[in-house]
Amino acid sequence: MQKADIIKIVSILAFIVLAPVLGGLLEGIDRKISARMQRRVGPKITQPFYDVLKLFNKEYISVNKKQLFLLLSHIFFVVFAGGLFFGGYDMLMVFLSLSTASIFMILAASSTHTAYTGVGTVRELVQMMCCEPAELLVAVGFYLASAVGGIHYASLGLANDPSFMVKDLINVDKPAIMYMPGFFIAFVFILTIKFRKSPFDLSTSHHAHQEVVKGLTAEFSGGAYAITEIAEWYEEVMLLGVVALFFVTNNPISYIWAALAVIIVFFLEILIDNTSARVKWDLMFKASWGVILACAGTNLLVLEILPQVLRH
Amino acid sequence: MKSFHKSPWLLHYDASSCNGCDIEVLACTMPRYDVERFGIINTGNPMHADIFCVTGGVNEQNAPVVKQIYDQIPEPKVVVAVGTCACTGGVFKECYNILGGVDKVIPVDIYVPGCAARPESIIDGVVKALALYQEKHDKMVKEGRGLPEGE
Ligand code: SF4
């Protein structure tokens, strides 16, 4: 086996094993900071693990036996997407697997046919409509940015072929954020939706928020809810990984900048969560599409034109 | 395992309280008492709840509601009656529509007296409920319940 293959396998395994630990701790930190912002003491940062352990030991009640299978498919595809990402595979595949995972989540929730999950699933679909374009555009943005970088450095013999592969995207000379700040803004914007943070926690919410009786997750009891939580931790780590990808270059020092950026974005999400009130779905829809078009769209245009300008 | 009493999620239901006890239940989650430091979350969903906090006596109309919510909470579960009304019917006991305390409809484990019950005593009642929760959980594990069918 080659060295690259070993690194690939190790990072995928590390993701599968460490992501739930990291994700759980992140949620614990999130709850602690939120509590401090509200002048409360807050729970221990290991609290999410206690919650999940407890949930696994509760009785499992469901009106539809398929629910558990659908939920397991959901977590499988989330882990699959994360594995692809940390294994250095195709960005498009990563985001498509993530969408597949969301579809399984929606199927699992709607399999019980109750009023609250009904409202929750419809809202989740709207949330997907808000997030999906940004995710795909970000993948395209990375592709184009690697191409621009290639042309720019062609004279120095450092040319990169444009690529969707994460393993190529971390091997660039200049951080992607230089070419795609607009994409970055759009991505951070939809992270608020993805992390189910206020003002966009419409389909289901966290901590003590009680929107539509937890909406999407209302009918998940015991272990089923624990699986949802763990899947969320995986997803959170993966998405923060994408944030880091904006800053990573072939220079090892860039990893420090990436970590710093992740911490800042994470803190920003908590701040937004605690300082804003939940909005209606149509406002969320307009706001996210507005931001995506204005930031990511403009950026895309520039990236498309820039190579031609540089060539002439 | 010892960790279960560290994460009790409450479901608060107002049967026919005067709202005095409800305000005290909510006061527990405010910065002064902050029950979240014990991992307690006030959830709105019976499917996620462990401890059922009922305030006020049960009346003719909501007796089936209380029963249904109780049935929707997965095992193990503990019921806490908060306030004198929830314990016995209290000042509303003689009303034509009041059936009496919560224990007229569902089995109650912990009674927290007081009109209104103080946040301190509510927290005390919940902590007592935790011990009972652990006990019920251990019993459930012994009987091998809790896993989905066929696993
Ligand atoms: S016990 Fe007192 S405060 Fe509580 S619901 Fe009854 S009358 Fe109101």
Short mmCIF file of all heavy atoms in Angstrom, two decimals, chain A residues 31 35 38-43 47 50-51 53-55 57-61 65 68 207-208 210 213-214 217-222 225, chain B residues 1 3-4 6-7 9 29 31 34 36-37 39 41-45 47-50 72 74-76 133 137 140 146 148-149 151:
data_model
loop_
_atom_site.label_atom_id
_atom_site.label_comp_id
_atom_site.label_asym_id
_atom_site.label_seq_id
_atom_site.Cartn_x
_atom_site.Cartn_y
_atom_site.Cartn_z
N ARG A 31 -23.82 24.40 24.39
CA ARG A 31 -24.83 24.60 25.45
C ARG A 31 -24.27 25.41 26.60
O ARG A 31 -24.98 26.21 27.21
CB ARG A 31 -25.32 23.24 25.94
CG ARG A 31 -26.36 22.66 25.01
CD ARG A 31 -26.72 21.25 25.35
NE ARG A 31 -27.44 21.15 26.60
CZ ARG A 31 -28.03 20.03 27.00
NH1 ARG A 31 -27.99 18.96 26.24
NH2 ARG A 31 -28.67 19.98 28.15
N ALA A 35 -25.65 29.00 27.70
CA ALA A 35 -26.09 29.24 29.08
C ALA A 35 -25.40 30.47 29.66
O ALA A 35 -26.03 31.30 30.31
CB ALA A 35 -25.81 28.01 29.93
N GLN A 38 -26.86 33.56 28.56
CA GLN A 38 -28.13 33.84 29.22
C GLN A 38 -27.95 34.01 30.73
O GLN A 38 -28.92 33.94 31.49
CB GLN A 38 -29.12 32.70 28.94
CG GLN A 38 -29.47 32.56 27.49
CD GLN A 38 -30.01 31.18 27.15
OE1 GLN A 38 -30.35 30.39 28.04
NE2 GLN A 38 -30.10 30.88 25.87
N ARG A 39 -26.74 34.15 31.17
CA ARG A 39 -26.39 34.32 32.58
C ARG A 39 -26.81 33.13 33.42
O ARG A 39 -27.25 33.27 34.57
CB ARG A 39 -27.03 35.59 33.15
CG ARG A 39 -26.51 36.83 32.49
CD ARG A 39 -26.72 37.97 33.41
NE ARG A 39 -26.03 39.15 32.92
CZ ARG A 39 -26.12 40.31 33.52
NH1 ARG A 39 -26.85 40.45 34.59
NH2 ARG A 39 -25.48 41.34 33.05
N ARG A 40 -26.72 31.95 32.82
CA ARG A 40 -26.96 30.73 33.60
C ARG A 40 -25.63 30.00 33.76
O ARG A 40 -24.66 30.32 33.09
CB ARG A 40 -27.96 29.83 32.88
CG ARG A 40 -29.35 30.40 32.82
CD ARG A 40 -30.35 29.41 32.25
NE ARG A 40 -30.18 29.18 30.82
CZ ARG A 40 -29.79 28.04 30.29
NH1 ARG A 40 -29.51 27.01 31.07
NH2 ARG A 40 -29.68 27.90 28.99
N VAL A 41 -25.64 29.01 34.66
CA VAL A 41 -24.41 28.23 34.84
C VAL A 41 -24.27 27.23 33.69
O VAL A 41 -23.20 27.07 33.13
CB VAL A 41 -24.45 27.48 36.19
CG1 VAL A 41 -23.20 26.63 36.36
CG2 VAL A 41 -24.56 28.47 37.32
N GLY A 42 -25.37 26.60 33.35
CA GLY A 42 -25.35 25.66 32.23
C GLY A 42 -24.87 24.28 32.62
O GLY A 42 -24.27 24.09 33.68
N PRO A 43 -25.14 23.31 31.75
CA PRO A 43 -24.75 21.93 32.05
C PRO A 43 -23.26 21.71 31.84
O PRO A 43 -22.58 22.55 31.28
CB PRO A 43 -25.56 21.12 31.04
CG PRO A 43 -25.72 22.03 29.88
CD PRO A 43 -25.78 23.42 30.43
N GLN A 47 -22.47 16.79 28.95
CA GLN A 47 -23.91 16.53 29.05
C GLN A 47 -24.50 15.80 27.83
O GLN A 47 -25.28 14.85 28.00
CB GLN A 47 -24.65 17.85 29.30
CG GLN A 47 -26.13 17.71 29.55
CD GLN A 47 -26.43 16.93 30.80
OE1 GLN A 47 -25.78 17.09 31.81
NE2 GLN A 47 -27.40 16.05 30.72
N TYR A 50 -24.28 12.08 28.21
CA TYR A 50 -25.23 11.52 29.17
C TYR A 50 -26.62 11.40 28.54
O TYR A 50 -27.33 10.42 28.73
CB TYR A 50 -25.32 12.40 30.42
CG TYR A 50 -24.07 12.44 31.26
CD1 TYR A 50 -23.53 13.63 31.69
CD2 TYR A 50 -23.43 11.25 31.62
CE1 TYR A 50 -22.38 13.67 32.45
CE2 TYR A 50 -22.28 11.27 32.39
CZ TYR A 50 -21.76 12.49 32.80
OH TYR A 50 -20.63 12.52 33.55
N ASP A 51 -26.98 12.45 27.78
CA ASP A 51 -28.30 12.45 27.14
C ASP A 51 -28.44 11.26 26.21
O ASP A 51 -29.43 10.54 26.26
CB ASP A 51 -28.51 13.75 26.35
CG ASP A 51 -28.66 14.96 27.25
OD1 ASP A 51 -28.81 14.76 28.46
OD2 ASP A 51 -28.60 16.09 26.74
N LEU A 53 -26.67 8.47 26.10
CA LEU A 53 -26.65 7.19 26.82
C LEU A 53 -28.01 6.90 27.43
O LEU A 53 -28.51 5.77 27.36
CB LEU A 53 -25.61 7.23 27.94
CG LEU A 53 -24.18 6.90 27.52
CD1 LEU A 53 -23.25 7.06 28.72
CD2 LEU A 53 -24.12 5.47 27.01
N LYS A 54 -28.60 7.93 28.00
CA LYS A 54 -29.92 7.74 28.60
C LYS A 54 -30.94 7.34 27.54
O LYS A 54 -31.72 6.42 27.73
CB LYS A 54 -30.37 9.03 29.28
CG LYS A 54 -31.77 8.93 29.83
CD LYS A 54 -32.44 10.27 29.92
CE LYS A 54 -32.78 10.81 28.57
NZ LYS A 54 -33.40 12.12 28.63
N LEU A 55 -30.90 8.05 26.41
CA LEU A 55 -31.89 7.79 25.35
C LEU A 55 -31.80 6.35 24.86
O LEU A 55 -32.82 5.71 24.60
CB LEU A 55 -31.68 8.76 24.19
CG LEU A 55 -32.17 10.17 24.44
CD1 LEU A 55 -31.67 11.11 23.36
CD2 LEU A 55 -33.69 10.23 24.48
N ASN A 57 -31.16 3.87 26.52
CA ASN A 57 -31.70 2.96 27.52
C ASN A 57 -33.17 3.18 27.79
O ASN A 57 -33.73 2.62 28.72
CB ASN A 57 -30.91 3.07 28.82
CG ASN A 57 -29.63 2.29 28.71
OD1 ASN A 57 -29.60 1.10 28.92
ND2 ASN A 57 -28.57 2.96 28.29
N LYS A 58 -33.78 4.03 26.97
CA LYS A 58 -35.23 4.22 27.15
C LYS A 58 -35.98 3.26 26.24
O LYS A 58 -35.43 2.69 25.30
CB LYS A 58 -35.61 5.67 26.83
CG LYS A 58 -35.21 6.59 27.96
CD LYS A 58 -36.05 7.83 28.09
CE LYS A 58 -37.51 7.60 28.27
NZ LYS A 58 -38.08 8.22 29.44
N GLU A 59 -37.25 3.13 26.56
CA GLU A 59 -38.10 2.26 25.75
C GLU A 59 -38.22 2.85 24.35
O GLU A 59 -38.26 4.07 24.18
CB GLU A 59 -39.47 2.21 26.41
CG GLU A 59 -40.42 1.24 25.80
CD GLU A 59 -41.81 1.39 26.42
OE1 GLU A 59 -42.10 2.44 27.02
OE2 GLU A 59 -42.59 0.46 26.28
N TYR A 60 -38.25 1.99 23.33
CA TYR A 60 -38.43 2.48 21.97
C TYR A 60 -39.89 2.30 21.56
O TYR A 60 -40.38 1.18 21.50
CB TYR A 60 -37.50 1.72 21.02
CG TYR A 60 -37.71 2.06 19.57
CD1 TYR A 60 -37.32 3.30 19.07
CD2 TYR A 60 -38.31 1.16 18.70
CE1 TYR A 60 -37.52 3.62 17.75
CE2 TYR A 60 -38.51 1.47 17.37
CZ TYR A 60 -38.11 2.71 16.90
OH TYR A 60 -38.31 3.03 15.59
N ILE A 61 -40.55 3.41 21.30
CA ILE A 61 -41.94 3.35 20.87
C ILE A 61 -42.03 3.92 19.47
O ILE A 61 -41.50 5.00 19.21
CB ILE A 61 -42.87 4.20 21.76
CG1 ILE A 61 -42.69 3.85 23.23
CG2 ILE A 61 -44.32 4.03 21.35
CD1 ILE A 61 -43.50 4.74 24.15
N LYS A 65 -42.57 0.35 12.01
CA LYS A 65 -41.32 -0.38 12.23
C LYS A 65 -40.23 0.05 11.25
O LYS A 65 -39.05 -0.14 11.52
CB LYS A 65 -41.56 -1.88 12.06
CG LYS A 65 -42.14 -2.51 13.31
CD LYS A 65 -42.21 -3.99 13.16
CE LYS A 65 -42.86 -4.59 14.39
NZ LYS A 65 -43.35 -5.93 14.14
N LEU A 68 -36.97 2.86 12.18
CA LEU A 68 -35.62 2.60 12.64
C LEU A 68 -34.68 2.34 11.46
O LEU A 68 -33.56 2.84 11.42
CB LEU A 68 -35.62 1.41 13.60
CG LEU A 68 -34.43 1.34 14.54
CD1 LEU A 68 -34.40 2.53 15.47
CD2 LEU A 68 -34.45 0.05 15.33
N HIS A 207 -31.83 21.96 22.38
CA HIS A 207 -31.88 22.32 23.79
C HIS A 207 -33.33 22.41 24.24
O HIS A 207 -34.11 21.51 24.00
CB HIS A 207 -31.15 23.63 24.07
CG HIS A 207 -29.83 23.75 23.37
ND1 HIS A 207 -29.09 22.65 23.00
CD2 HIS A 207 -29.13 24.83 22.96
CE1 HIS A 207 -27.98 23.05 22.41
NE2 HIS A 207 -27.98 24.37 22.36
N ALA A 208 -33.67 23.54 24.87
CA ALA A 208 -35.02 23.63 25.42
C ALA A 208 -36.00 24.30 24.47
O ALA A 208 -37.14 24.56 24.83
CB ALA A 208 -34.96 24.39 26.74
N GLN A 210 -38.83 24.61 21.72
CA GLN A 210 -39.91 23.64 21.54
C GLN A 210 -40.75 23.92 20.30
O GLN A 210 -41.96 23.77 20.32
CB GLN A 210 -40.84 23.66 22.76
CG GLN A 210 -40.14 23.24 24.03
CD GLN A 210 -41.03 23.35 25.22
OE1 GLN A 210 -42.21 23.65 25.09
NE2 GLN A 210 -40.48 23.10 26.39
N VAL A 213 -43.42 21.20 18.81
CA VAL A 213 -43.15 19.99 19.61
C VAL A 213 -41.98 19.20 19.00
O VAL A 213 -42.04 18.00 18.83
CB VAL A 213 -44.41 19.11 19.74
CG1 VAL A 213 -44.25 18.13 20.89
CG2 VAL A 213 -45.62 19.94 19.98
N LYS A 214 -40.93 19.90 18.64
CA LYS A 214 -39.73 19.29 18.06
C LYS A 214 -39.89 18.84 16.61
O LYS A 214 -38.99 18.25 16.04
CB LYS A 214 -39.23 18.10 18.89
CG LYS A 214 -38.75 18.47 20.27
CD LYS A 214 -37.32 18.92 20.25
CE LYS A 214 -36.91 19.30 21.66
NZ LYS A 214 -35.78 20.18 21.72
N THR A 217 -38.35 15.62 14.70
CA THR A 217 -37.92 14.54 15.60
C THR A 217 -38.98 14.21 16.65
O THR A 217 -38.70 13.45 17.58
CB THR A 217 -36.61 14.92 16.31
OG1 THR A 217 -36.83 16.15 17.01
CG2 THR A 217 -35.48 15.11 15.33
N ALA A 218 -40.18 14.75 16.49
CA ALA A 218 -41.20 14.59 17.54
C ALA A 218 -41.52 13.13 17.83
O ALA A 218 -41.81 12.76 18.96
CB ALA A 218 -42.46 15.35 17.16
N GLU A 219 -41.47 12.28 16.79
CA GLU A 219 -41.91 10.90 16.98
C GLU A 219 -40.75 9.93 17.21
O GLU A 219 -40.93 8.73 17.16
CB GLU A 219 -42.72 10.44 15.76
CG GLU A 219 -44.06 11.14 15.62
CD GLU A 219 -45.04 10.75 16.72
OE1 GLU A 219 -45.10 9.56 17.06
OE2 GLU A 219 -45.72 11.64 17.23
N PHE A 220 -39.55 10.47 17.40
CA PHE A 220 -38.42 9.57 17.67
C PHE A 220 -38.27 9.41 19.17
O PHE A 220 -37.96 10.36 19.86
CB PHE A 220 -37.11 10.15 17.10
CG PHE A 220 -37.12 10.35 15.62
CD1 PHE A 220 -36.23 11.23 15.03
CD2 PHE A 220 -38.01 9.66 14.82
CE1 PHE A 220 -36.24 11.42 13.65
CE2 PHE A 220 -38.03 9.84 13.44
CZ PHE A 220 -37.13 10.74 12.86
N SER A 221 -38.46 8.20 19.65
CA SER A 221 -38.30 8.02 21.09
C SER A 221 -37.06 7.19 21.35
O SER A 221 -36.61 6.42 20.50
CB SER A 221 -39.53 7.32 21.67
OG SER A 221 -39.55 5.98 21.25
N GLY A 222 -36.52 7.35 22.55
CA GLY A 222 -35.38 6.54 23.00
C GLY A 222 -34.24 6.49 22.01
O GLY A 222 -33.73 7.51 21.56
N TYR A 225 -34.03 8.64 18.80
CA TYR A 225 -33.62 10.04 18.95
C TYR A 225 -32.11 10.13 19.18
O TYR A 225 -31.45 11.05 18.70
CB TYR A 225 -34.40 10.69 20.10
CG TYR A 225 -34.27 12.19 20.13
CD1 TYR A 225 -34.47 12.94 18.98
CD2 TYR A 225 -33.96 12.87 21.31
CE1 TYR A 225 -34.35 14.31 18.99
CE2 TYR A 225 -33.84 14.24 21.33
CZ TYR A 225 -34.04 14.96 20.17
OH TYR A 225 -33.91 16.32 20.19
N MET B 1 -25.71 1.31 34.54
CA MET B 1 -24.87 2.50 34.43
C MET B 1 -25.42 3.65 35.26
O MET B 1 -26.60 3.74 35.51
CB MET B 1 -24.77 2.90 32.97
CG MET B 1 -23.56 2.31 32.31
SD MET B 1 -23.04 3.36 30.98
CE MET B 1 -23.29 2.25 29.63
N SER B 3 -25.22 6.91 34.59
CA SER B 3 -25.33 8.22 33.97
C SER B 3 -26.76 8.69 33.75
O SER B 3 -26.99 9.83 33.42
CB SER B 3 -24.61 8.20 32.62
OG SER B 3 -25.23 7.25 31.81
N PHE B 4 -27.74 7.83 33.95
CA PHE B 4 -29.08 8.20 33.50
C PHE B 4 -29.71 9.27 34.34
O PHE B 4 -30.47 10.08 33.86
CB PHE B 4 -29.96 6.96 33.44
CG PHE B 4 -29.27 5.92 32.66
CD1 PHE B 4 -28.89 4.73 33.22
CD2 PHE B 4 -28.89 6.20 31.36
CE1 PHE B 4 -28.17 3.83 32.49
CE2 PHE B 4 -28.17 5.29 30.63
CZ PHE B 4 -27.82 4.10 31.19
N LYS B 6 -28.39 11.71 35.24
CA LYS B 6 -27.77 13.01 34.94
C LYS B 6 -28.48 13.72 33.80
O LYS B 6 -28.09 14.80 33.42
CB LYS B 6 -26.30 12.81 34.58
CG LYS B 6 -25.48 12.51 35.80
CD LYS B 6 -24.03 12.41 35.45
CE LYS B 6 -23.20 12.15 36.70
NZ LYS B 6 -21.93 11.52 36.39
N SER B 7 -29.45 13.07 33.20
CA SER B 7 -30.07 13.69 32.05
C SER B 7 -31.60 13.53 32.04
O SER B 7 -32.16 12.91 31.17
CB SER B 7 -29.46 13.09 30.78
OG SER B 7 -30.33 13.12 29.73
N TRP B 9 -35.25 14.66 31.39
CA TRP B 9 -35.97 15.67 30.61
C TRP B 9 -37.41 15.75 31.12
O TRP B 9 -38.10 14.75 31.24
CB TRP B 9 -35.93 15.31 29.12
CG TRP B 9 -34.57 15.45 28.54
CD1 TRP B 9 -33.44 15.89 29.19
CD2 TRP B 9 -34.14 15.14 27.21
NE1 TRP B 9 -32.36 15.88 28.34
CE2 TRP B 9 -32.75 15.42 27.13
CE3 TRP B 9 -34.80 14.66 26.08
CZ2 TRP B 9 -32.02 15.24 25.96
CZ3 TRP B 9 -34.06 14.48 24.92
CH2 TRP B 9 -32.70 14.77 24.87
N THR B 29 -36.19 27.03 35.54
CA THR B 29 -35.28 27.02 34.39
C THR B 29 -34.60 28.38 34.18
O THR B 29 -33.77 28.52 33.32
CB THR B 29 -36.04 26.67 33.09
OG1 THR B 29 -37.03 27.67 32.87
CG2 THR B 29 -36.72 25.32 33.19
N PRO B 31 -32.30 31.87 35.18
CA PRO B 31 -30.92 31.94 35.68
C PRO B 31 -30.76 31.72 37.18
O PRO B 31 -29.80 31.14 37.61
CB PRO B 31 -30.50 33.35 35.28
CG PRO B 31 -31.31 33.66 34.09
CD PRO B 31 -32.62 32.98 34.29
N ASP B 34 -31.69 27.74 37.46
CA ASP B 34 -31.03 27.06 36.35
C ASP B 34 -30.92 25.54 36.50
O ASP B 34 -29.85 24.99 36.77
CB ASP B 34 -29.63 27.65 36.12
CG ASP B 34 -28.98 27.04 34.88
OD1 ASP B 34 -29.74 26.65 33.98
OD2 ASP B 34 -27.75 26.98 34.82
N GLU B 36 -30.82 23.48 34.30
CA GLU B 36 -30.06 22.83 33.23
C GLU B 36 -28.68 22.43 33.72
O GLU B 36 -28.02 21.59 33.12
CB GLU B 36 -29.96 23.72 31.98
CG GLU B 36 -29.82 22.88 30.71
CD GLU B 36 -29.33 23.64 29.49
OE1 GLU B 36 -29.22 24.87 29.55
OE2 GLU B 36 -29.04 22.98 28.49
N ARG B 37 -28.23 23.02 34.85
CA ARG B 37 -26.91 22.57 35.34
C ARG B 37 -26.95 21.11 35.79
O ARG B 37 -25.93 20.46 35.88
CB ARG B 37 -26.36 23.51 36.42
CG ARG B 37 -27.12 23.65 37.63
CD ARG B 37 -26.85 24.97 38.34
NE ARG B 37 -28.06 25.23 39.07
CZ ARG B 37 -28.17 25.12 40.37
NH1 ARG B 37 -27.14 24.85 41.11
NH2 ARG B 37 -29.33 25.31 40.96
N GLY B 39 -28.58 18.98 34.00
CA GLY B 39 -28.94 18.29 32.77
C GLY B 39 -30.42 18.24 32.54
O GLY B 39 -30.89 17.58 31.62
N ILE B 41 -33.85 19.36 31.16
CA ILE B 41 -34.36 20.19 30.07
C ILE B 41 -35.87 20.14 30.13
O ILE B 41 -36.47 19.09 30.38
CB ILE B 41 -33.85 19.67 28.72
CG1 ILE B 41 -32.42 20.11 28.48
CG2 ILE B 41 -34.73 20.18 27.58
CD1 ILE B 41 -31.87 19.67 27.14
N ASN B 42 -36.50 21.28 29.91
CA ASN B 42 -37.95 21.32 29.86
C ASN B 42 -38.36 21.06 28.41
O ASN B 42 -38.38 21.96 27.59
CB ASN B 42 -38.42 22.70 30.34
CG ASN B 42 -39.92 22.80 30.41
OD1 ASN B 42 -40.61 21.79 30.29
ND2 ASN B 42 -40.43 23.99 30.59
N THR B 43 -38.64 19.80 28.10
CA THR B 43 -38.98 19.47 26.72
C THR B 43 -40.49 19.55 26.54
O THR B 43 -41.24 19.39 27.49
CB THR B 43 -38.47 18.05 26.34
OG1 THR B 43 -39.13 17.64 25.17
CG2 THR B 43 -38.72 17.06 27.42
N GLY B 44 -40.92 19.79 25.34
CA GLY B 44 -42.35 19.90 25.10
C GLY B 44 -42.94 18.63 24.54
O GLY B 44 -44.10 18.58 24.16
N ASN B 45 -42.12 17.59 24.46
CA ASN B 45 -42.53 16.41 23.71
C ASN B 45 -42.56 15.17 24.60
O ASN B 45 -41.53 14.76 25.13
CB ASN B 45 -41.52 16.21 22.56
CG ASN B 45 -41.88 15.05 21.68
OD1 ASN B 45 -42.84 14.35 21.93
ND2 ASN B 45 -41.10 14.85 20.65
N MET B 47 -42.67 12.11 23.89
CA MET B 47 -41.83 11.02 23.39
C MET B 47 -40.38 11.14 23.86
O MET B 47 -39.63 10.18 23.84
CB MET B 47 -41.84 10.98 21.86
CG MET B 47 -43.18 10.77 21.25
SD MET B 47 -43.77 9.10 21.46
CE MET B 47 -43.16 8.35 19.98
N HIS B 48 -39.97 12.36 24.23
CA HIS B 48 -38.58 12.56 24.67
C HIS B 48 -38.48 12.69 26.19
O HIS B 48 -37.40 12.86 26.72
CB HIS B 48 -37.99 13.83 24.06
CG HIS B 48 -37.89 13.79 22.57
ND1 HIS B 48 -37.56 14.88 21.82
CD2 HIS B 48 -38.08 12.78 21.70
CE1 HIS B 48 -37.56 14.55 20.54
NE2 HIS B 48 -37.88 13.29 20.44
N ALA B 49 -39.61 12.67 26.89
CA ALA B 49 -39.60 13.04 28.31
C ALA B 49 -39.30 11.85 29.21
O ALA B 49 -39.50 10.70 28.83
CB ALA B 49 -40.93 13.67 28.68
N ASP B 50 -38.76 12.17 30.39
CA ASP B 50 -38.53 11.14 31.41
C ASP B 50 -39.39 11.41 32.64
O ASP B 50 -39.85 10.49 33.30
CB ASP B 50 -37.06 11.15 31.85
CG ASP B 50 -36.12 11.07 30.67
OD1 ASP B 50 -36.25 10.11 29.91
OD2 ASP B 50 -35.27 11.96 30.52
N GLN B 72 -47.80 8.17 26.32
CA GLN B 72 -46.84 8.46 25.25
C GLN B 72 -45.41 8.56 25.75
O GLN B 72 -44.48 8.53 24.95
CB GLN B 72 -47.22 9.78 24.56
CG GLN B 72 -48.36 9.61 23.58
CD GLN B 72 -48.72 10.92 22.92
OE1 GLN B 72 -48.38 11.98 23.40
NE2 GLN B 72 -49.43 10.84 21.82
N PRO B 74 -42.11 7.19 26.99
CA PRO B 74 -41.51 5.85 27.03
C PRO B 74 -41.02 5.50 28.44
O PRO B 74 -40.61 6.39 29.19
CB PRO B 74 -40.33 5.96 26.06
CG PRO B 74 -40.44 7.28 25.39
CD PRO B 74 -41.28 8.14 26.25
N GLU B 75 -41.02 4.22 28.77
CA GLU B 75 -40.48 3.76 30.05
C GLU B 75 -38.97 3.95 30.06
O GLU B 75 -38.35 3.86 29.00
CB GLU B 75 -40.80 2.27 30.24
CG GLU B 75 -42.26 1.95 30.37
CD GLU B 75 -42.81 2.26 31.75
OE1 GLU B 75 -42.02 2.62 32.65
OE2 GLU B 75 -44.02 2.15 31.92
N PRO B 76 -38.30 4.15 31.16
CA PRO B 76 -38.87 4.40 32.47
C PRO B 76 -39.35 5.85 32.60
O PRO B 76 -38.79 6.73 31.98
CB PRO B 76 -37.68 4.15 33.40
CG PRO B 76 -36.47 4.40 32.56
CD PRO B 76 -36.84 4.05 31.17
N TYR B 133 -36.17 7.18 39.29
CA TYR B 133 -35.99 6.93 37.86
C TYR B 133 -34.93 5.85 37.65
O TYR B 133 -35.12 4.90 36.90
CB TYR B 133 -35.56 8.23 37.17
CG TYR B 133 -35.37 8.12 35.69
CD1 TYR B 133 -36.47 8.13 34.84
CD2 TYR B 133 -34.11 7.99 35.15
CE1 TYR B 133 -36.30 8.02 33.48
CE2 TYR B 133 -33.93 7.87 33.79
CZ TYR B 133 -35.03 7.89 32.96
OH TYR B 133 -34.86 7.77 31.61
N HIS B 137 -35.35 2.23 36.08
CA HIS B 137 -34.51 1.87 34.94
C HIS B 137 -33.83 0.52 35.18
O HIS B 137 -33.84 -0.35 34.31
CB HIS B 137 -33.47 2.95 34.69
CG HIS B 137 -32.42 2.53 33.73
ND1 HIS B 137 -31.19 2.10 34.14
CD2 HIS B 137 -32.44 2.40 32.39
CE1 HIS B 137 -30.48 1.75 33.09
NE2 HIS B 137 -31.22 1.93 32.01
N MET B 140 -36.18 -2.21 34.79
CA MET B 140 -36.52 -2.42 33.38
C MET B 140 -35.43 -3.23 32.68
O MET B 140 -35.72 -4.13 31.90
CB MET B 140 -36.66 -1.06 32.70
CG MET B 140 -37.48 -1.08 31.47
SD MET B 140 -37.64 0.57 30.79
CE MET B 140 -36.32 0.58 29.61
N GLY B 146 -37.24 -2.41 26.73
CA GLY B 146 -36.61 -1.18 26.27
C GLY B 146 -36.04 -1.27 24.87
O GLY B 146 -35.91 -0.28 24.20
N PRO B 148 -36.04 -2.28 20.87
CA PRO B 148 -37.07 -2.45 19.86
C PRO B 148 -37.35 -3.92 19.60
O PRO B 148 -36.48 -4.76 19.82
CB PRO B 148 -36.51 -1.77 18.62
CG PRO B 148 -35.11 -1.43 18.93
CD PRO B 148 -34.89 -1.54 20.37
N GLU B 149 -38.53 -4.21 19.14
CA GLU B 149 -38.92 -5.60 18.91
C GLU B 149 -37.97 -6.27 17.92
O GLU B 149 -37.55 -5.66 16.95
CB GLU B 149 -40.33 -5.63 18.33
CG GLU B 149 -41.40 -5.70 19.41
CD GLU B 149 -42.76 -5.62 18.77
OE1 GLU B 149 -43.09 -6.53 18.02
OE2 GLU B 149 -43.47 -4.64 19.05
N GLU B 151 -34.93 -7.29 18.32
CA GLU B 151 -33.48 -7.05 18.41
C GLU B 151 -32.91 -7.69 19.66
O GLU B 151 -33.57 -7.79 20.66
CB GLU B 151 -33.20 -5.55 18.41
CG GLU B 151 -33.35 -4.99 17.04
CD GLU B 151 -32.62 -3.67 16.86
OE1 GLU B 151 -31.76 -3.33 17.69
OE2 GLU B 151 -32.93 -3.00 15.88
#
